[in-house]
Amino acid sequence: MDRNIVITLSKKIIRIVIVAKLAGVCVKVGKKVYDSIPKYDTIDGIDTDLLIDENTTDLSKIDLSTPEGLPEIV
């Protein structure tokens, strides 16, 4: 083989190895970050439907009409 071909192939192989190692490190760091994010816990012994109903505002009861006495926006 020609010396230049050997040098070119070895440089390409080195780049591939470096990229593979970098990808592996990125996957490991990403997994650690993902695992550190808190997940939703399950709630045992609590009626979640009742909890949602008690803490939800009925929007039909809110008066959305424009208050009187406000200046017009031009």
Side-chain angles (χ1 to χ4, degrees):
M1 287 183 130
D2 188 22
R3 178 186 160 114
N4 291 333
I5 294 173
V6 172
I7 292 172
T8 309
L9 284 175
S10 63
K11 285 181 181 180
K12 287 182 181 181
I13 292 171
I14 290 172
R15 285 183 186 155
I16 291 171
V17 169
I18 290 173
V19 168
K21 286 183 180 182
L22 181 64
V25 170
C26 289
V27 167
K28 287 179 184 177
V29 170
K31 181 164 178 13
K32 286 184 181 183
V33 169
Y34 177 77
D35 290 341
S36 69
I37 298 172
K39 307 296 183 280
Y40 290 107
D41 293 331
T42 57
I43 302 173
D44 295 330
I46 296 177
D47 185 6
T48 54
D49 293 330
L50 179 64
L51 184 65
I52 291 171
D53 287 340
E54 289 176 352
N55 293 295
T56 303
T57 303
D58 185 13
L59 296 178
S60 64
K61 296 179 182 178
I62 298 174
D63 183 19
L64 298 175
S65 62
T66 306
E68 295 182 15
L70 290 178
E72 286 188 32
I73 300 173
V74 181

